[in-house]
Amino acid sequence: MHIIPPHFHYSHARQLSVMLALILSLMSFNAHAEKLTDNTIRAFIKTLEKVQAMESEFEEVVDQQSTRAPDLSRILSSSIEELEGEEVYDRLENLVQDNGFSDISEWAATGDRIYGAWIALEISNQSPKFREEMENMLAEVEKNPHITAEQKALMRDSIKTSISQMQQATDIPSADIEAIKPHLQALRTATDYEED
Protein backbone atom coordinates (compact mmCIF):
# COMPACT_ATOMS: atom_id res chain seq x y z
CA MET A 1 0.00 0.00 0.00
CA HIS A 2 1.40 3.37 -0.99
CA ILE A 3 1.31 6.30 1.35
CA ILE A 4 0.06 8.29 -1.60
CA PRO A 5 -3.25 7.01 -2.96
CA PRO A 6 -3.09 5.63 -6.49
CA HIS A 7 -3.83 7.72 -9.55
CA PHE A 8 -7.47 8.46 -10.20
CA HIS A 9 -8.52 6.67 -13.37
CA TYR A 10 -12.25 6.52 -14.03
CA SER A 11 -12.57 4.31 -17.10
CA HIS A 12 -13.64 1.26 -15.10
CA ALA A 13 -16.81 0.91 -13.07
CA ARG A 14 -15.09 -0.84 -10.16
CA GLN A 15 -12.55 1.94 -9.69
CA LEU A 16 -15.34 4.50 -9.79
CA SER A 17 -17.29 2.58 -7.18
CA VAL A 18 -14.28 2.56 -4.83
CA MET A 19 -13.84 6.30 -5.26
CA LEU A 20 -17.54 6.87 -4.66
CA ALA A 21 -17.36 4.83 -1.48
CA LEU A 22 -14.47 7.00 -0.34
CA ILE A 23 -16.43 10.17 -1.03
CA LEU A 24 -19.51 8.98 0.80
CA SER A 25 -17.49 7.87 3.81
CA LEU A 26 -15.76 11.25 3.95
CA MET A 27 -19.00 13.21 4.13
CA SER A 28 -19.49 13.11 7.89
CA PHE A 29 -15.83 14.03 8.46
CA ASN A 30 -16.01 17.03 6.15
CA ALA A 31 -19.27 18.29 7.64
CA HIS A 32 -17.57 19.35 10.89
CA ALA A 33 -14.09 20.25 9.69
CA GLU A 34 -12.48 23.68 9.56
CA LYS A 35 -12.13 25.48 6.26
CA LEU A 36 -9.33 24.32 3.97
CA THR A 37 -7.19 27.39 3.35
CA ASP A 38 -4.74 28.03 0.51
CA ASN A 39 -1.87 28.04 2.99
CA THR A 40 -2.91 24.69 4.45
CA ILE A 41 -3.29 23.11 1.01
CA ARG A 42 0.08 24.49 -0.12
CA ALA A 43 1.75 23.18 3.05
CA PHE A 44 0.19 19.76 2.48
CA ILE A 45 1.39 19.65 -1.14
CA LYS A 46 4.88 20.84 -0.19
CA THR A 47 5.12 18.05 2.36
CA LEU A 48 3.67 15.54 -0.12
CA GLU A 49 6.39 16.38 -2.64
CA LYS A 50 9.04 15.57 -0.02
CA VAL A 51 7.19 12.41 1.01
CA GLN A 52 7.40 11.18 -2.59
CA ALA A 53 11.17 10.89 -2.18
CA MET A 54 10.63 8.62 0.85
CA GLU A 55 8.00 6.38 -0.75
CA SER A 56 10.33 3.39 -1.24
CA GLU A 57 10.91 3.35 2.53
CA PHE A 58 7.17 3.29 3.17
CA GLU A 59 6.73 0.44 0.73
CA GLU A 60 9.42 -1.62 2.45
CA VAL A 61 7.71 -1.22 5.82
CA VAL A 62 4.21 -1.93 4.52
CA ASP A 63 5.42 -4.98 2.55
CA GLN A 64 6.56 -6.51 5.84
CA GLN A 65 3.18 -5.97 7.48
CA SER A 66 0.01 -7.94 6.98
CA THR A 67 -2.23 -6.51 4.31
CA ARG A 68 -5.71 -5.39 5.25
CA ALA A 69 -8.48 -3.51 3.53
CA PRO A 70 -7.96 0.25 3.71
CA ASP A 71 -10.31 2.44 5.70
CA LEU A 72 -11.72 4.52 2.86
CA SER A 73 -12.91 7.31 5.14
CA ARG A 74 -9.29 7.80 6.23
CA ILE A 75 -7.34 6.62 3.22
CA LEU A 76 -4.19 8.61 4.00
CA SER A 77 -4.56 8.46 7.78
CA SER A 78 -4.96 4.68 7.79
CA SER A 79 -1.86 4.29 5.60
CA ILE A 80 0.15 6.46 7.98
CA GLU A 81 -1.02 4.50 11.03
CA GLU A 82 0.50 1.34 9.54
CA LEU A 83 3.89 3.04 9.87
CA GLU A 84 3.64 3.75 13.62
CA GLY A 85 6.62 2.45 15.57
CA GLU A 86 8.86 2.53 12.49
CA GLU A 87 11.81 4.87 12.01
CA VAL A 88 10.25 6.30 8.86
CA TYR A 89 7.20 7.37 10.91
CA ASP A 90 9.39 9.58 13.11
CA ARG A 91 11.04 11.09 10.04
CA LEU A 92 7.64 11.82 8.55
CA GLU A 93 6.46 13.38 11.83
CA ASN A 94 9.44 15.76 11.76
CA LEU A 95 8.79 16.58 8.11
CA VAL A 96 5.14 17.53 8.60
CA GLN A 97 5.97 19.62 11.65
CA ASP A 98 8.66 21.45 9.66
CA ASN A 99 5.92 22.35 7.18
CA GLY A 100 3.50 23.87 9.69
CA PHE A 101 1.38 20.93 10.88
CA SER A 102 1.07 20.23 14.59
CA ASP A 103 1.58 16.50 14.07
CA ILE A 104 1.31 13.69 11.58
CA SER A 105 -2.37 13.09 12.40
CA GLU A 106 -3.31 16.64 11.45
CA TRP A 107 -1.37 16.36 8.20
CA ALA A 108 -2.98 13.03 7.28
CA ALA A 109 -6.50 14.25 8.16
CA THR A 110 -5.91 17.28 5.95
CA GLY A 111 -4.82 14.93 3.19
CA ASP A 112 -7.98 12.84 3.62
CA ARG A 113 -10.07 15.95 2.98
CA ILE A 114 -7.99 17.16 0.06
CA TYR A 115 -8.10 13.78 -1.65
CA GLY A 116 -11.84 13.51 -0.98
CA ALA A 117 -12.51 16.90 -2.56
CA TRP A 118 -10.21 16.11 -5.49
CA ILE A 119 -11.94 12.80 -6.15
CA ALA A 120 -15.37 14.47 -5.91
CA LEU A 121 -14.27 17.04 -8.47
CA GLU A 122 -12.88 14.39 -10.83
CA ILE A 123 -16.08 12.36 -10.53
CA SER A 124 -18.28 15.38 -11.18
CA ASN A 125 -16.33 15.93 -14.40
CA GLN A 126 -16.93 12.29 -15.36
CA SER A 127 -20.56 12.12 -14.22
CA PRO A 128 -22.39 12.16 -17.59
CA LYS A 129 -19.97 9.64 -19.11
CA PHE A 130 -20.12 7.43 -16.01
CA ARG A 131 -23.90 7.32 -15.97
CA GLU A 132 -24.00 6.45 -19.66
CA GLU A 133 -21.43 3.67 -19.12
CA MET A 134 -23.41 2.27 -16.19
CA GLU A 135 -26.67 2.29 -18.16
CA ASN A 136 -24.99 0.60 -21.13
CA MET A 137 -23.53 -2.00 -18.79
CA LEU A 138 -26.96 -2.59 -17.28
CA ALA A 139 -28.45 -3.13 -20.76
CA GLU A 140 -25.67 -5.60 -21.63
CA VAL A 141 -26.27 -7.55 -18.43
CA GLU A 142 -30.00 -7.82 -19.13
CA LYS A 143 -29.52 -9.22 -22.65
CA ASN A 144 -26.59 -11.55 -21.89
CA PRO A 145 -27.85 -15.15 -22.22
CA HIS A 146 -24.80 -16.59 -20.45
CA ILE A 147 -25.58 -14.98 -17.07
CA THR A 148 -28.00 -16.63 -14.66
CA ALA A 149 -30.98 -14.73 -13.29
CA GLU A 150 -29.31 -14.65 -9.87
CA GLN A 151 -26.09 -13.21 -11.32
CA LYS A 152 -28.09 -10.64 -13.27
CA ALA A 153 -29.88 -9.56 -10.09
CA LEU A 154 -26.57 -9.11 -8.24
CA MET A 155 -25.00 -7.18 -11.11
CA ARG A 156 -28.13 -5.07 -11.55
CA ASP A 157 -28.12 -4.13 -7.85
CA SER A 158 -24.42 -3.26 -7.98
CA ILE A 159 -24.81 -1.04 -11.03
CA LYS A 160 -27.86 0.73 -9.62
CA THR A 161 -26.00 1.30 -6.35
CA SER A 162 -23.11 2.88 -8.27
CA ILE A 163 -25.50 5.20 -10.09
CA SER A 164 -27.12 6.16 -6.80
CA GLN A 165 -23.72 6.83 -5.21
CA MET A 166 -22.79 9.08 -8.09
CA GLN A 167 -25.82 11.21 -7.31
CA GLN A 168 -24.88 11.34 -3.62
CA ALA A 169 -21.29 12.37 -4.38
CA THR A 170 -22.47 15.96 -4.69
CA ASP A 171 -22.72 16.03 -0.87
CA ILE A 172 -18.98 16.70 -0.44
CA PRO A 173 -18.76 20.26 0.90
CA SER A 174 -18.51 22.64 -2.03
CA ALA A 175 -16.13 24.80 0.03
CA ASP A 176 -13.56 21.97 0.06
CA ILE A 177 -13.96 21.40 -3.68
CA GLU A 178 -13.61 25.11 -4.44
CA ALA A 179 -10.60 25.33 -2.12
CA ILE A 180 -8.61 22.70 -4.03
CA LYS A 181 -9.42 23.92 -7.56
CA PRO A 182 -6.53 26.43 -7.72
CA HIS A 183 -4.19 23.69 -6.53
CA LEU A 184 -5.13 20.88 -8.91
CA GLN A 185 -2.05 21.16 -11.08
CA ALA A 186 0.21 21.19 -8.03
CA LEU A 187 -1.59 18.11 -6.67
CA ARG A 188 -1.23 16.32 -9.99
CA THR A 189 2.47 17.16 -10.14
CA ALA A 190 3.06 16.09 -6.53
CA THR A 191 1.38 12.74 -7.09
CA ASP A 192 2.56 12.15 -10.70
CA TYR A 193 -1.11 12.08 -11.68
CA GLU A 194 -1.80 12.16 -15.39
CA GLU A 195 -5.28 12.89 -16.74
CA ASP A 196 -6.78 10.40 -19.17
Side-chain angles (χ1 to χ4, degrees):
M1 175 184 296
H2 299 286
I3 190 167
I4 298 166
H7 301 325
F8 306 132
H9 296 291
Y10 295 96
S11 57
H12 302 291
R14 184 167 180 216
Q15 290 170 321
L16 267 173
S17 295
V18 170
M19 293 302 117
L20 287 166
L22 168 62
I23 287 173
L24 295 174
S25 60
L26 285 170
M27 287 179 192
S28 60
F29 175 81
N30 283 330
H32 304 290
E34 293 180 17
K35 181 180 177 185
L36 282 175
T37 65
D38 284 337
N39 287 340
T40 301
I41 296 169
R42 282 192 204 102
F44 174 79
I45 294 170
K46 183 179 177 184
T47 310
L48 193 61
E49 290 168 343
K50 294 175 181 175
V51 167
Q52 282 279 40
M54 302 167 63
E55 190 168 9
S56 61
E57 296 177 57
F58 297 123
E59 289 174 355
E60 287 173 18
V61 173
V62 174
D63 284 346
Q64 297 168 9
Q65 299 172 353
S66 60
T67 57
R68 62 181 184 210
D71 178 351
L72 293 179
S73 67
R74 303 169 62 252
I75 195 162
L76 188 58
S77 298
S78 59
S79 296
I80 295 295
E81 286 167 2
E82 291 186 15
L83 304 173
E84 283 189 55
E86 302 290 339
E87 181 183 338
V88 71
Y89 183 92
D90 295 332
R91 290 181 56 207
L92 183 57
E93 182 94 70
N94 291 335
L95 178 61
V96 302
Q97 289 174 342
D98 289 346
N99 284 279
F101 293 92
S102 61
D103 57 30
I104 202 167
S105 296
E106 182 191 13
W107 179 79
T110 300
D112 292 338
R113 288 181 65 195
I114 289 171
Y115 279 119
W118 183 8
I119 294 166
L121 184 58
E122 294 284 350
I123 285 179
S124 70
N125 292 338
Q126 295 286 332
S127 182
K129 182 180 176 184
F130 170 78
R131 188 174 186 106
E132 182 182 340
E133 285 177 1
M134 290 294 97
E135 288 174 354
N136 288 341
M137 193 181 297
L138 190 57
E140 287 177 22
V141 165
E142 296 297 348
K143 66 183 180 185
N144 189 329
H146 305 293
I147 301 175
T148 67
E150 184 179 60
Q151 289 171 325
K152 283 185 181 182
L154 288 172
M155 294 174 80
R156 190 183 306 120
D157 288 347
S158 177
I159 293 168
K160 287 181 177 177
T161 298
S162 294
I163 292 171
S164 174
Q165 287 174 335
M166 170 62 77
Q167 292 166 345
Q168 293 176 48
T170 56
D171 288 342
I172 283 288
S174 58
D176 280 7
I177 294 170
E178 290 302 314
I180 68 150
K181 281 183 178 179
H183 305 278
L184 283 176
Q185 189 53 54
L187 280 166
R188 290 179 178 126
T189 300
T191 58
D192 296 327
Y193 169 70
E194 294 179 10
E195 291 184 278
D196 288 338

